[in-house]
Amino acid sequence: SQKIEQNSEALNIQEGKTATLTCNYTNYSPAYLQWYRQDPGRGPVFLLLIRENEKEKRKERLKVTFDTTLKQSLFHITASQPADSATYLCGLRRNTPLVFGKGTRLSVIA
Amino acid sequence: GAVVSQHPSRVICKSGTSVKIECRSLDFQATTMFWYRQFPKKSLMLMATSNEGSKATYEQGVEKDKFLINHASLTLSTLTVTSAHPEDSSFYICSGQGVNTGELFFGEGSRLTVL
């Protein structure tokens, strides 16, 4: 069955550093992969989408890579700020509805 | 991005009652909406896919008679939890799908507590 793993449940980093979150998947060939941010008690907010034929996508301080050989996506936040603290979810999709990983809770410490 | 409005944000009800949650796409037409459920520190679990004008498609293990979904218009989908029990207490989130992209626009979620 499909399996999506986000590298760690929680990640703490120092303000100003680059946060790197990992999303690995097995038994799946997604057409695209998406990253969302979720704050406590709120619905997820879309951040970036990357397609299977794309290697990298950027948006301001965010960067996503997609390696279909490794079956992995990396999500980077450069120059991290305390306001970036949240849970980040990766979601995968081909012909089925979006399937999510459990998320990584990022804490950026000032 | 597009806006999805979900109401109510919080609801507390007694066991055995029914609760309706509304999900509206405010600035786009959502032919397809998805309903998710999320337990604390857990992933979003898809409950059902709601298509405008047709019956919802439920995921395995989700009781369609307990979780009634109606998608009567391109901007409104509702989820009714019938005869709610304490184990139905959870965070329910709806989302609409962008027409030209695969991204989902989520509502703010509804926290249901069944006493």
Side-chain angles (χ1 to χ4, degrees), chain A residues 34 36 38 42 93 98 101, chain B residues 36 38 43 97 102 104 108:
Chain A
Q34 305 179 26
Y36 289 78
Q38 186 176 23
R42 308 289 293 274
R93 181 174 186 181
L98 202 59
Chain B
Y36 289 85
Q38 188 176 36
S43 180
Q97 179 175 303
L104 296 182
E108 287 296 324

Side-chain angles (χ1 to χ4, degrees), chain A residues 9 32 34 36 38 41-46 49 51 89 93 97-102 105, chain B residues 34 36 38 41-44 46 49 59 91 93 97 100 102-104 106-109 111:
Chain A
E9 191 173 318
Y32 49 84
Q34 305 179 26
Y36 289 78
Q38 186 176 23
R42 308 289 293 274
V45 174
F46 172 79
L49 179 154
R51 302 181 192 282
L89 304 165
R93 181 174 186 181
L98 202 59
V99 178
F100 287 95
K102 289 185 178 180
R105 189 171 66 254
Chain B
F34 302 96
Y36 289 85
Q38 188 176 36
K41 296 187 178 181
K42 297 292 185 183
S43 180
L44 291 162
L46 180 68
T49 301
E59 295 299 301
F91 192 52
I93 314 176
Q97 179 175 303
N100 297 318
E103 65 185 273
L104 296 182
F106 283 88
E108 287 296 324
R111 171 77 57 194

